[in-house]
C-alpha cells in the first residue's frame, strides 16, 4: 500500500511539473493599452441631436476605466456646444488580445454637458491590433468602435430632442468614415 501511495505521489508531482512549462495555444494576452485621440461620428437623430460628432482624448489599460483628458464637440448645437463644455465624462473598455495580436471587446462612454445637463451615452464593439506579448504591455493600433448612441437632453437644452442612432469611433485619425461595412457590423 505504501508503494502504491508513493507511486501515485510521484506521478502527481510529475504531472504538476510538466504542466508548469506549457500554455494553451488559444490563450489570450490581456495587456494592451491605448492613449490618444479618438474621433466619433454619429448617424441618426434629428435636428440638433444629429450634430453630435466629437473628439475624445483618453488612455486605458484593458478592463479599466477610461482616463479621459477631454471631449470636444465639432459642431455647434443646442445639445452640446462645440469646444470643451462637459462637466463629467466616464467610461470603460474591456477587451482581450489574442496571441495573434487581434483585439476585440467593448467600450462604453458617457458625456454630460456643463451648460444644459444633456447626457450622451455610447456603447460599442471595439476592434484593433496590438503588439503586446505575454510579458509586455502592447499598444492598441487601428482601433475602431462601432455601436449605438443615446441622447437625453438636459432640462435647459432648448431645441434639443432625445435621439439615438449608430456611431463609429476611430483611433488617431483625422476623419472617421461611417462606411456601410462598419455600420452593417452592428
Amino acid at each position: 500500500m505504501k508503494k502504491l501511495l508513493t507511486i501515485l505521489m510521484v506521478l502527481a508531482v510529475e504531472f504538476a511539473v510538466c504542466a508548469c512549462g506549457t500554455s494553451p495555444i488559444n490563450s489570450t494576452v490581456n495587456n494592451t493599452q491605448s492613449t490618444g485621440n479618438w474621433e466619433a461620428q454619429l448617424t441618426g437623430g434629428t435636428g440638433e441631436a444629429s450634430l453630435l460628432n466629437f473628439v475624445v482624448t483618453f488612455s486605458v489599460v484593458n478592463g479599466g476605466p477610461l482616463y479621459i483628458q477631454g471631449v470636444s464637440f465639432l459642431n455647434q448645437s443646442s445639445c452640446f456646444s462645440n469646444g470643451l463644455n462637459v462637466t463629467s465624462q466616464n467610461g470603460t473598455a474591456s477587451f482581450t488580445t489574442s496571441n495573434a495580436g487581434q483585439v476585440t471587446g467593448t467600450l462604453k462612454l458617457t458625456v454630460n454637458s456643463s451648460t444644459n445637463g444633456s447626457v450622451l451615452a455610447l456603447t460599442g464593439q471595439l476592434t484593433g491590433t496590438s503588439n503586446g506579448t505575454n510579458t509586455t504591455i502592447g499598444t492598441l493600433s487601428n482601433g475602431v468602435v462601432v455601436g449605438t448612441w443615446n441622447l437625453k437632453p438636459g432640462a435647459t437644452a432648448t431645441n434639443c430632442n432625445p435621439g439615438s442612432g449608430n456611431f463609429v469611433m476611430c483611433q488617431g485619425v483625422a476623419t472617421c468614415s461611417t462606411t456601410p461595412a462598419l455600420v452593417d457590423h452592428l
Side-chain angles (χ1 to χ4, degrees):
M1 182 69 153
K2 284 186 178 183
K3 283 186 179 184
L4 180 59
L5 185 57
T6 302
I7 291 171
L8 289 175
M9 288 178 59
V10 169
L11 285 173
V13 169
E14 184 176 336
F15 286 129
V17 169
C18 290
C20 289
T22 62
S23 64
I25 292 174
N26 293 327
S27 67
T28 57
V29 179
N30 293 330
N31 47 359
T32 296
Q33 66 182 355
S34 175
T35 301
N37 295 328
W38 291 68
E39 182 180 330
Q41 288 193 358
L42 287 65
T43 60
T46 57
E48 298 292 306
S50 68
L51 303 173
L52 297 174
N53 298 337
F54 64 91
V55 174
V56 59
T57 304
F58 64 81
S59 62
V60 64
V61 176
N62 178 48
L66 298 180
Y67 294 100
I68 300 172
Q69 288 84 37
V71 175
S72 181
F73 283 85
L74 303 175
N75 309 318
Q76 182 72 33
S77 83
S78 61
C79 301
F80 288 91
S81 60
N82 60 355
L84 300 173
N85 73 333
V86 294
T87 55
S88 67
Q89 59 275 329
N90 62 67
T92 60
S94 177
F95 47 85
T96 58
T97 306
S98 73
N99 286 337
Q102 296 301 310
V103 178
T104 57
T106 59
L107 183 133
K108 295 180 180 183
L109 175 65
T110 303
V111 180
N112 300 296
S113 171
S114 64
T115 57
N116 62 31
S118 294
V119 178
L120 176 65
L122 297 93
T123 302
Q125 298 297 310
L126 182 143
T127 60
T129 57
S130 174
N131 59 355
T133 68
N134 288 333
T135 58
T136 64
I137 295 177
T139 301
L140 180 67
S141 57
N142 303 312
V144 176
V145 180
V146 177
T148 58
W149 62 270
N150 189 359
L151 171 69
K152 179 181 175 191
T156 61
T158 56
N159 299 323
C160 180
N161 296 320
S164 62
N166 299 321
F167 77 92
V168 59
M169 186 164 62
C170 299
Q171 177 187 26
V173 293
T175 60
C176 194
S177 174
T178 53
T179 62
L182 290 175
V183 175
D184 289 343
H185 181 264
L186 293 174

